[in-house]
Amino acid sequence: MRSPKDFFAPLAVGAPQPPRQIPALPSRMIHFFDPSNEKMATKVPDLAKKVDVLLGNLEDAVKADRKEAARAGLVRIAKENDFGGTQLWTRINSLDSPWVLDDLITLVTEIGDKLDVIMVPKVEGAADIHYVDRLLAQLEARAGLRRPLLVHAILETASGVANVEEIAGASPRMQGISLGPADLAASRRMKTTRVGGGHPGYLVRTDPVGDDLHAGRTTYQQDLWHYTVARMVDACVLNGILPYYGPFGDIRDVVACEDQFRNAFLLGCVGAWSLHPAQIDIAKKVFSPAPDDVAWARKVIAAMGDGTGAVMIDGKMQDDASVKQCRVVAELADALAERDPELAQAYDAATEEALS
Ligand code: GLV
Ligand code: MG
């Protein structure tokens, strides 16, 4: 580990100063697209208007013989488009692959000024982040970049989960971590075959009634990802970075997707991946606080004044801890409202009603 005194020093002469704070920019959905797909490329300008983050995917889901086309496609798309307030991210190939070195060299050199965040898959420990950190600093210095690129790790190996706290704190560039349930299930040798979501076999059952072990016993499906998401959220918060749920592979099942996203939201995640346009609206709905919750949060904040002491609102006791929770909701709402006039209006209308 670097000493605290050196932690924020650039890792190469001429590289930009690493960030001291990670900006909490709206990132409700990280929308994946395949830059090797020509048809997809034509949709990018429209997609950019609908999402918070657009991610050019170079890793899994891009066939080996399309890797170079995907990299070149992303360079072209980034150069040809103005993304406005939408962030542009990429997912590079894994660090043990034959493509990753060229991914980093090409992307930082050609479009380092357009990219915001580099997502690194299959991170196993802090050493992986240190490798990327130094290489990025060297490439940034050579390209003359003035703004440091940020790094996002996918939590998708058993080793990564065991080391998640050190990964989250491995570099000032760390922007966030996403759960990668598909690779994580494979790495853990879990007996599932899905990309995220639950499994009907993972359940608890009420006690038997009398001698019949089958009759009258209700079962409840459990969340396979609860432990990992909760641990990831703690590791991220501890280090001032942002946690995300990853992919939900059953595109047709918009209902379970919404449930999975909402569990992640309630546990502290700020966004999820969208793999299909149908999932963009789900993420938008789930990761934007509801207007009534925002109105309530604003009402509690107003009533609590300097935040100390306690007040009763509608029969519910509010104190320091509840006003802090309300501030989380209200600050997120303000950031989203800046980007989304419809949401801003809904929040203001609900607040007016709550305060009247
Ligand atoms: C994502 O990359 C996953 O493996 O779930
Ligand atoms: Mg994966």
Side-chain angles (χ1 to χ4, degrees), residues 23-29 31 48 51-55 83-89 114-117 147 150 175 242 244 339:
L25 302 173
S27 45
R28 294 165 292 181
M29 70 299 290
H31 188 74
V51 301
D52 295 337
V53 177
L54 204 50
L55 178 145
F83 299 93
T86 301
Q87 298 177 64
L88 181 65
W89 295 19
K114 284 282 188 93
L115 280 173
D116 294 289
V117 175
R147 188 180 53 117
L150 302 183
Q175 176 273 344
L242 306 172
Y244 299 78
R339 239 183 105 64

Side-chain angles (χ1 to χ4, degrees), residues 204-354:
V204 291
R205 186 183 302 269
T206 54
D207 284 354
V209 187
D211 292 336
D212 187 341
L213 294 183
H214 296 281
R217 299 182 70 182
T218 312
T219 60
Y220 299 92
Q221 193 172 322
Q222 304 291 294
D223 183 359
L224 285 167
W225 307 109
H226 178 83
Y227 154 75
T228 317
V229 172
R231 188 157 170 205
M232 176 182 77
V233 169
D234 284 344
C236 287
V237 174
L238 170 71
N239 289 284
I241 69 172
L242 306 172
Y244 299 78
Y245 177 79
F248 190 89
D250 189 346
I251 306 296
R252 194 191 53 92
D253 192 355
V254 290
V255 177
C257 176
E258 182 171 333
D259 293 336
Q260 183 77 68
F261 283 8
R262 183 162 295 106
N263 287 350
F265 172 68
L266 290 171
L267 278 178
C269 290
V270 300
W273 301 3
S274 52
L275 305 181
H276 184 277
Q279 295 182 338
I280 295 174
D281 286 338
I282 302 175
K284 198 176 228 178
K285 175 173 166 199
V286 170
F287 291 100
S288 310
D292 284 349
D293 291 343
V294 175
W296 171 259
R298 289 175 175 171
K299 187 169 168 170
V300 173
I301 292 167
M304 281 292 291
D306 72 355
T308 61
V311 294
M312 291 294 282
I313 306 178
D314 302 348
K316 298 187 189 93
M317 195 276 293
Q318 308 300 325
D319 67 359
D320 178 73
S322 57
V323 81
K324 276 185 192 148
Q325 292 175 58
C326 289
R327 282 194 199 115
V328 171
V329 173
E331 281 164 18
L332 173 61
D334 289 346
L336 297 177
E338 250 179 60
R339 239 183 105 64
D340 190 332
E342 238 175 76
L343 213 47
Q345 209 177 13
Y347 288 160
D348 289 346
T351 307
E352 211 169 293
E353 200 182 309

Side-chain angles (χ1 to χ4, degrees), residues 3 23 56 73 78 96 142 188 210 230 248 284 309:
S3 105
D96 60 356
R142 202 180 61 170
R188 281 177 171 162
F248 190 89
K284 198 176 228 178

Side-chain angles (χ1 to χ4, degrees), residues 32 57 59-60 91 119 121-122 154-156 178-186 194-196 225 245-248 273 275:
F32 274 53
N57 177 34
E59 201 222 9
D60 293 355
R91 177 169 77 167
M119 184 183 271
K122 302 180 177 73
I154 311 182
L155 193 59
E156 54 182 352
S178 287
L179 174 76
D183 271 302
L184 182 55
R194 303 172 171 200
V195 175
W225 307 109
Y245 177 79
F248 190 89
W273 301 3
L275 305 181

Side-chain angles (χ1 to χ4, degrees), residues 62-260:
V62 176
K63 281 182 85 64
D65 62 1
R66 301 294 297 157
K67 293 287 185 189
E68 280 167 24
R71 190 190 300 137
L74 181 57
V75 169
R76 189 166 35 76
I77 289 166
K79 287 190 169 168
E80 284 173 2
N81 289 282
D82 175 1
F83 299 93
T86 301
Q87 298 177 64
L88 181 65
W89 295 19
T90 184
R91 177 169 77 167
I92 56 172
N93 285 289
S94 63
L95 299 180
D96 60 356
S97 77
W99 304 290
V100 66
L101 189 58
D102 287 331
D103 290 346
L104 284 167
I105 292 173
T106 305
L107 297 180
V108 179
T109 309
E110 299 278 334
I111 54 168
D113 55 337
K114 284 282 188 93
L115 280 173
D116 294 289
V117 175
I118 296 191
M119 184 183 271
V120 184
K122 302 180 177 73
V123 172
E124 307 229 332
D128 288 342
I129 303 298
H130 295 160
Y131 169 78
V132 172
D133 200 7
R134 176 78 73 174
L135 188 51
L136 284 178
Q138 293 167 343
L139 294 169
E140 286 167 342
R142 202 180 61 170
L145 297 180
R146 302 297 0 126
R147 188 180 53 117
L149 285 153
L150 302 183
V151 169
H152 182 110
I154 311 182
L155 193 59
E156 54 182 352
T157 65
S159 159
V161 176
N163 296 321
V164 66
E165 290 83 9
E166 66 163 45
I167 291 169
S171 158
R173 291 180 194 275
M174 281 300 296
Q175 176 273 344
I177 301 182
S178 287
L179 174 76
D183 271 302
L184 182 55
S187 165
R188 281 177 171 162
R189 305 177 65 76
M190 288 166 68
K191 307 302 178 289
T192 53
T193 53
R194 303 172 171 200
V195 175
H199 192 288
Y202 191 66
L203 51 80
V204 291
R205 186 183 302 269
T206 54
D207 284 354
V209 187
D211 292 336
D212 187 341
L213 294 183
H214 296 281
R217 299 182 70 182
T218 312
T219 60
Y220 299 92
Q221 193 172 322
Q222 304 291 294
D223 183 359
L224 285 167
W225 307 109
H226 178 83
Y227 154 75
T228 317
V229 172
R231 188 157 170 205
M232 176 182 77
V233 169
D234 284 344
C236 287
V237 174
L238 170 71
N239 289 284
I241 69 172
L242 306 172
Y244 299 78
Y245 177 79
F248 190 89
D250 189 346
I251 306 296
R252 194 191 53 92
D253 192 355
V254 290
V255 177
C257 176
E258 182 171 333
D259 293 336
Q260 183 77 68

